[in-house]
Short mmCIF file of all heavy atoms in Angstrom, two decimals:
data_model
loop_
_atom_site.label_atom_id
_atom_site.label_comp_id
_atom_site.label_asym_id
_atom_site.label_seq_id
_atom_site.Cartn_x
_atom_site.Cartn_y
_atom_site.Cartn_z
N LYS A 1 0.84 -1.20 -0.01
CA LYS A 1 0.02 -0.01 -0.02
C LYS A 1 0.92 1.27 0.03
O LYS A 1 1.78 1.32 0.81
CB LYS A 1 -0.89 -0.02 1.20
CG LYS A 1 -1.75 1.24 1.36
CD LYS A 1 -2.74 1.18 2.59
CE LYS A 1 -3.59 2.50 2.74
NZ LYS A 1 -4.58 2.63 1.59
N SER A 2 0.59 2.13 -0.89
CA SER A 2 1.32 3.45 -0.98
C SER A 2 0.52 4.38 -0.11
O SER A 2 -0.66 4.50 -0.22
CB SER A 2 1.54 4.02 -2.37
OG SER A 2 0.24 4.05 -3.05
N ILE A 3 1.18 5.10 0.79
CA ILE A 3 0.60 5.89 1.79
C ILE A 3 1.15 7.29 1.84
O ILE A 3 2.39 7.48 2.04
CB ILE A 3 0.57 5.34 3.17
CG1 ILE A 3 0.11 3.82 3.15
CG2 ILE A 3 -0.25 6.06 4.26
CD1 ILE A 3 0.59 2.95 4.19
N HIS A 4 0.28 8.30 1.71
CA HIS A 4 0.89 9.68 1.93
C HIS A 4 1.07 9.91 3.46
O HIS A 4 0.19 9.53 4.22
CB HIS A 4 -0.13 10.76 1.50
CG HIS A 4 0.49 12.07 1.24
ND1 HIS A 4 0.84 12.90 2.35
CD2 HIS A 4 0.85 12.75 0.08
CE1 HIS A 4 1.27 14.06 1.92
NE2 HIS A 4 1.42 13.97 0.49
N ALA A 5 2.15 10.49 3.86
CA ALA A 5 2.52 10.65 5.22
C ALA A 5 1.40 11.31 6.05
O ALA A 5 1.08 11.07 7.16
CB ALA A 5 3.84 11.27 5.48
N ALA A 6 0.77 12.39 5.29
CA ALA A 6 -0.29 13.19 5.97
C ALA A 6 -1.56 12.36 6.17
O ALA A 6 -2.33 12.73 7.10
CB ALA A 6 -0.53 14.41 5.09
N GLU A 7 -1.71 11.37 5.37
CA GLU A 7 -2.94 10.47 5.48
C GLU A 7 -2.79 9.31 6.24
O GLU A 7 -3.65 8.44 6.47
CB GLU A 7 -3.33 10.11 4.00
CG GLU A 7 -3.98 11.28 3.29
CD GLU A 7 -5.34 11.64 3.83
OE1 GLU A 7 -6.35 11.02 3.80
OE2 GLU A 7 -5.38 12.82 4.57
N PHE A 8 -1.53 9.00 6.67
CA PHE A 8 -1.28 7.71 7.35
C PHE A 8 -2.04 7.62 8.59
O PHE A 8 -2.48 6.50 8.93
CB PHE A 8 0.29 7.70 7.76
CG PHE A 8 0.70 6.62 8.57
CD1 PHE A 8 0.99 5.31 8.03
CD2 PHE A 8 0.70 6.66 10.01
CE1 PHE A 8 1.47 4.26 8.80
CE2 PHE A 8 1.13 5.61 10.80
CZ PHE A 8 1.51 4.43 10.21
N PHE A 9 -2.38 8.78 9.20
CA PHE A 9 -3.13 8.68 10.54
C PHE A 9 -4.57 8.60 10.28
O PHE A 9 -5.39 8.66 11.34
CB PHE A 9 -2.73 9.77 11.38
CG PHE A 9 -1.29 9.87 11.80
CD1 PHE A 9 -0.31 10.54 11.03
CD2 PHE A 9 -0.85 9.05 12.79
CE1 PHE A 9 0.96 10.51 11.27
CE2 PHE A 9 0.51 9.08 13.13
CZ PHE A 9 1.42 9.80 12.40
N HIS A 10 -5.13 8.48 9.13
CA HIS A 10 -6.49 8.48 8.74
C HIS A 10 -6.96 7.11 8.32
O HIS A 10 -7.54 7.05 7.23
CB HIS A 10 -6.98 9.68 7.81
CG HIS A 10 -6.61 10.99 8.33
ND1 HIS A 10 -7.40 11.72 9.18
CD2 HIS A 10 -5.42 11.73 8.24
CE1 HIS A 10 -6.82 12.89 9.57
NE2 HIS A 10 -5.65 12.85 8.92
N GLY A 11 -6.71 6.05 9.02
CA GLY A 11 -7.15 4.70 8.68
C GLY A 11 -5.91 3.68 8.67
O GLY A 11 -6.00 2.68 9.40
N THR A 12 -4.92 4.03 7.92
CA THR A 12 -3.75 3.11 7.78
C THR A 12 -3.19 2.76 9.16
O THR A 12 -2.55 1.72 9.33
CB THR A 12 -2.78 3.57 6.88
OG1 THR A 12 -3.46 3.97 5.58
CG2 THR A 12 -1.75 2.58 6.57
N ILE A 13 -3.15 3.68 10.07
CA ILE A 13 -2.56 3.63 11.32
C ILE A 13 -3.04 2.33 12.07
O ILE A 13 -2.24 1.69 12.78
CB ILE A 13 -2.89 4.81 12.19
CG1 ILE A 13 -2.12 4.86 13.49
CG2 ILE A 13 -4.35 4.97 12.47
CD1 ILE A 13 -2.22 6.08 14.40
N GLU A 14 -4.18 1.93 11.84
CA GLU A 14 -4.80 0.77 12.60
C GLU A 14 -4.20 -0.53 11.97
O GLU A 14 -4.49 -1.62 12.65
CB GLU A 14 -6.32 0.73 12.44
CG GLU A 14 -6.96 1.98 13.19
CD GLU A 14 -6.81 1.85 14.71
OE1 GLU A 14 -6.59 0.71 15.14
OE2 GLU A 14 -6.77 2.96 15.32
N LEU A 15 -3.59 -0.60 10.98
CA LEU A 15 -2.97 -1.77 10.36
C LEU A 15 -1.53 -2.01 10.85
O LEU A 15 -0.89 -2.98 10.37
CB LEU A 15 -3.05 -1.73 8.79
CG LEU A 15 -4.52 -1.59 8.22
CD1 LEU A 15 -4.34 -1.66 6.73
CD2 LEU A 15 -5.24 -2.89 8.76
N CYS A 16 -1.04 -1.23 11.78
CA CYS A 16 0.31 -1.37 12.23
C CYS A 16 0.32 -2.39 13.30
O CYS A 16 -0.20 -2.20 14.46
CB CYS A 16 0.88 -0.01 12.79
SG CYS A 16 1.26 1.16 11.51
N GLU A 17 0.86 -3.51 12.98
CA GLU A 17 0.86 -4.70 13.86
C GLU A 17 2.39 -5.06 14.15
O GLU A 17 3.28 -4.45 13.54
CB GLU A 17 0.15 -5.88 13.24
CG GLU A 17 -1.28 -5.62 13.06
CD GLU A 17 -1.94 -6.82 12.34
OE1 GLU A 17 -1.28 -7.40 11.46
OE2 GLU A 17 -3.12 -7.00 12.56
N GLU A 18 2.62 -5.94 15.00
CA GLU A 18 4.09 -6.44 15.20
C GLU A 18 4.64 -6.97 13.92
O GLU A 18 4.12 -7.78 13.30
CB GLU A 18 4.01 -7.61 16.35
CG GLU A 18 5.39 -8.02 16.61
CD GLU A 18 6.17 -7.11 17.55
OE1 GLU A 18 5.41 -6.29 18.26
OE2 GLU A 18 7.40 -7.15 17.61
N GLY A 19 5.85 -6.36 13.61
CA GLY A 19 6.52 -6.74 12.49
C GLY A 19 6.00 -6.13 11.13
O GLY A 19 6.71 -6.43 10.10
N THR A 20 5.10 -5.24 11.09
CA THR A 20 4.58 -4.59 9.95
C THR A 20 5.80 -3.88 9.27
O THR A 20 6.46 -3.23 9.97
CB THR A 20 3.46 -3.66 10.17
OG1 THR A 20 2.32 -4.45 10.73
CG2 THR A 20 2.98 -2.90 8.88
N SER A 21 5.92 -3.98 7.96
CA SER A 21 7.02 -3.33 7.17
C SER A 21 6.61 -1.94 6.74
O SER A 21 5.63 -1.90 6.06
CB SER A 21 7.42 -4.20 6.10
OG SER A 21 8.32 -3.50 5.26
N LEU A 22 7.36 -0.95 7.21
CA LEU A 22 7.19 0.43 6.72
C LEU A 22 8.41 0.77 5.92
O LEU A 22 9.62 0.92 6.42
CB LEU A 22 6.98 1.41 7.89
CG LEU A 22 5.61 1.59 8.36
CD1 LEU A 22 5.01 0.32 8.96
CD2 LEU A 22 5.58 2.72 9.42
N ILE A 23 8.27 1.24 4.62
CA ILE A 23 9.35 1.65 3.78
C ILE A 23 9.16 3.11 3.73
O ILE A 23 8.19 3.59 3.09
CB ILE A 23 9.42 0.95 2.41
CG1 ILE A 23 9.67 -0.53 2.58
CG2 ILE A 23 10.57 1.51 1.60
CD1 ILE A 23 9.63 -1.30 1.26
N MET A 24 10.06 3.99 4.26
CA MET A 24 9.79 5.42 4.32
C MET A 24 10.73 6.11 3.36
O MET A 24 11.97 5.92 3.43
CB MET A 24 9.94 5.92 5.78
CG MET A 24 9.09 5.25 6.82
SD MET A 24 9.08 5.99 8.37
CE MET A 24 8.46 7.64 8.05
N LEU A 25 10.17 6.90 2.50
CA LEU A 25 10.95 7.70 1.63
C LEU A 25 11.03 9.23 1.92
O LEU A 25 10.11 9.88 1.80
CB LEU A 25 10.33 7.56 0.15
CG LEU A 25 10.06 6.19 -0.38
CD1 LEU A 25 9.44 6.17 -1.88
CD2 LEU A 25 11.20 5.25 -0.32
N TYR A 26 12.16 9.44 2.51
CA TYR A 26 12.34 10.86 3.01
C TYR A 26 13.01 11.71 2.00
O TYR A 26 14.12 11.38 1.39
CB TYR A 26 13.36 10.65 4.20
CG TYR A 26 12.76 10.78 5.57
CD1 TYR A 26 12.25 9.65 6.17
CD2 TYR A 26 12.66 11.98 6.39
CE1 TYR A 26 11.66 9.69 7.48
CE2 TYR A 26 12.14 11.95 7.58
CZ TYR A 26 11.65 10.82 8.28
OH TYR A 26 11.08 10.89 9.32
N GLY A 27 12.38 12.90 1.81
CA GLY A 27 12.94 13.93 0.86
C GLY A 27 13.39 15.16 1.62
O GLY A 27 13.57 15.08 2.91
N GLU A 28 13.56 16.24 1.00
CA GLU A 28 14.17 17.45 1.54
C GLU A 28 13.23 18.69 1.32
O GLU A 28 13.70 19.78 1.31
CB GLU A 28 15.56 17.60 1.10
CG GLU A 28 16.48 16.55 1.45
CD GLU A 28 17.88 16.60 0.78
OE1 GLU A 28 18.53 17.52 1.02
OE2 GLU A 28 18.21 15.84 -0.11
N ASP A 29 11.97 18.50 1.16
CA ASP A 29 11.07 19.63 1.02
C ASP A 29 10.47 19.93 2.30
O ASP A 29 10.73 19.38 3.27
CB ASP A 29 10.12 19.39 -0.16
CG ASP A 29 9.30 18.10 0.06
OD1 ASP A 29 8.50 18.06 1.04
OD2 ASP A 29 9.37 17.15 -0.79
N ASP A 30 9.40 20.77 2.25
CA ASP A 30 8.73 21.28 3.57
C ASP A 30 7.90 20.14 4.17
O ASP A 30 7.40 20.43 5.27
CB ASP A 30 7.97 22.52 3.18
CG ASP A 30 8.90 23.75 2.92
OD1 ASP A 30 10.07 23.69 3.28
OD2 ASP A 30 8.36 24.69 2.39
N THR A 31 7.67 19.09 3.42
CA THR A 31 6.74 18.09 3.95
C THR A 31 7.54 17.00 4.87
O THR A 31 7.04 16.05 5.36
CB THR A 31 5.97 17.36 2.95
OG1 THR A 31 6.92 16.47 2.11
CG2 THR A 31 5.19 18.31 2.04
N ARG A 32 8.86 17.24 4.99
CA ARG A 32 9.67 16.34 5.73
C ARG A 32 9.21 16.17 7.14
O ARG A 32 9.26 15.03 7.67
CB ARG A 32 11.13 16.85 5.86
CG ARG A 32 12.18 15.72 6.36
CD ARG A 32 13.48 16.30 6.20
NE ARG A 32 14.49 15.43 6.94
CZ ARG A 32 15.20 14.51 6.22
NH1 ARG A 32 15.10 14.39 4.98
NH2 ARG A 32 16.08 13.68 6.92
N LYS A 33 8.62 17.13 7.72
CA LYS A 33 8.06 17.04 9.14
C LYS A 33 6.85 16.05 9.18
O LYS A 33 6.52 15.47 10.23
CB LYS A 33 7.65 18.34 9.63
CG LYS A 33 6.59 19.12 8.79
CD LYS A 33 6.39 20.56 9.30
CE LYS A 33 5.50 21.40 8.44
NZ LYS A 33 6.17 21.78 7.33
N LEU A 34 6.17 15.90 8.11
CA LEU A 34 5.01 14.93 7.99
C LEU A 34 5.61 13.49 8.14
O LEU A 34 4.92 12.65 8.74
CB LEU A 34 4.24 15.01 6.65
CG LEU A 34 3.66 16.42 6.37
CD1 LEU A 34 2.94 16.44 5.06
CD2 LEU A 34 2.79 16.82 7.57
N MET A 35 6.77 13.24 7.41
CA MET A 35 7.45 11.99 7.60
C MET A 35 7.87 11.73 9.04
O MET A 35 7.78 10.63 9.53
CB MET A 35 8.56 11.90 6.66
CG MET A 35 8.19 12.07 5.16
SD MET A 35 7.32 10.58 4.56
CE MET A 35 8.53 9.33 4.59
N ASP A 36 8.46 12.73 9.64
CA ASP A 36 8.88 12.68 10.99
C ASP A 36 7.66 12.20 11.98
O ASP A 36 7.91 11.55 12.82
CB ASP A 36 9.43 13.97 11.47
CG ASP A 36 10.80 14.28 11.00
OD1 ASP A 36 11.55 13.39 10.51
OD2 ASP A 36 11.17 15.54 10.85
N ARG A 37 6.61 12.79 11.70
CA ARG A 37 5.32 12.40 12.58
C ARG A 37 5.10 10.95 12.50
O ARG A 37 4.82 10.33 13.53
CB ARG A 37 4.21 13.24 12.14
CG ARG A 37 3.01 13.03 13.00
CD ARG A 37 1.81 13.74 12.56
NE ARG A 37 0.55 13.48 13.38
CZ ARG A 37 -0.64 13.55 12.90
NH1 ARG A 37 -0.90 13.92 11.70
NH2 ARG A 37 -1.62 13.26 13.73
N VAL A 38 5.19 10.35 11.28
CA VAL A 38 5.06 8.90 11.19
C VAL A 38 6.08 8.19 11.93
O VAL A 38 5.89 7.16 12.61
CB VAL A 38 4.94 8.50 9.71
CG1 VAL A 38 4.84 6.95 9.46
CG2 VAL A 38 3.74 9.11 8.98
N ASP A 39 7.35 8.53 11.70
CA ASP A 39 8.45 7.95 12.32
C ASP A 39 8.36 8.05 13.88
O ASP A 39 8.65 7.07 14.52
CB ASP A 39 9.77 8.59 11.86
CG ASP A 39 11.03 7.85 12.29
OD1 ASP A 39 10.94 6.61 12.33
OD2 ASP A 39 11.97 8.50 12.60
N ASN A 40 7.91 9.23 14.35
CA ASN A 40 7.78 9.32 15.87
C ASN A 40 6.68 8.37 16.37
O ASN A 40 6.88 7.88 17.44
CB ASN A 40 7.45 10.79 16.15
CG ASN A 40 8.51 11.75 15.83
OD1 ASN A 40 9.68 11.32 15.91
ND2 ASN A 40 8.23 13.03 15.69
N PHE A 41 5.63 8.21 15.48
CA PHE A 41 4.51 7.25 16.02
C PHE A 41 5.07 5.79 16.08
O PHE A 41 4.70 5.20 17.07
CB PHE A 41 3.49 7.29 14.84
CG PHE A 41 2.45 6.17 15.10
CD1 PHE A 41 1.49 6.34 16.16
CD2 PHE A 41 2.35 5.13 14.21
CE1 PHE A 41 0.53 5.33 16.36
CE2 PHE A 41 1.49 4.12 14.50
CZ PHE A 41 0.52 4.16 15.47
N THR A 42 6.00 5.39 15.25
CA THR A 42 6.53 4.12 15.45
C THR A 42 7.23 3.81 16.65
O THR A 42 7.22 2.83 17.22
CB THR A 42 7.43 3.77 14.21
OG1 THR A 42 8.68 4.56 14.20
CG2 THR A 42 6.73 3.99 12.88
N HIS A 43 7.98 4.98 17.12
CA HIS A 43 8.59 4.85 18.44
C HIS A 43 7.59 4.86 19.62
O HIS A 43 7.78 4.11 20.61
CB HIS A 43 9.60 5.94 18.60
CG HIS A 43 10.71 5.98 17.64
ND1 HIS A 43 11.68 5.03 17.70
CD2 HIS A 43 11.00 6.70 16.41
CE1 HIS A 43 12.58 5.30 16.58
NE2 HIS A 43 12.15 6.36 15.86
N MET A 44 6.57 5.62 19.43
CA MET A 44 5.48 5.57 20.46
C MET A 44 4.94 4.21 20.52
O MET A 44 4.47 3.78 21.64
CB MET A 44 4.47 6.60 20.11
CG MET A 44 4.85 7.99 20.23
SD MET A 44 3.72 9.26 19.63
CE MET A 44 2.32 8.87 20.59
N LEU A 45 4.74 3.54 19.45
CA LEU A 45 4.09 2.14 19.33
C LEU A 45 5.00 1.22 20.25
O LEU A 45 4.39 0.48 21.11
CB LEU A 45 3.97 1.66 17.94
CG LEU A 45 2.73 1.94 17.17
CD1 LEU A 45 2.81 1.23 15.81
CD2 LEU A 45 1.46 1.58 17.86
#
């Protein structure tokens, strides 16, 4: 599933289970903080 970082928390978040694979593509534009939010959530999990 391809997921926009801003939309990750609107449904897809519930599919994160033990061992779920997340491949994160980090760029260098102003939306980088949206990627950080997803990454921070994985640590909270």
Side-chain angles (χ1 to χ4, degrees):
K1 179 177 175 63
S2 55
I3 307 156
H4 194 290
E7 287 292 288
F8 176 85
F9 297 94
H10 299 276
T12 307
I13 186 175
E14 293 296 333
L15 295 181
C16 289
E17 303 172 324
E18 184 71 25
T20 298
S21 170
L22 274 61
I23 300 175
M24 302 185 67
L25 308 184
Y26 260 83
E28 299 173 66
D29 57 63
D30 290 340
T31 69
R32 191 177 174 94
K33 57 183 174 288
L34 303 180
M35 298 293 292
D36 286 337
R37 185 183 177 207
V38 177
D39 189 38
N40 292 338
F41 169 74
T42 66
H43 295 290
M44 291 172 59
L45 270 185

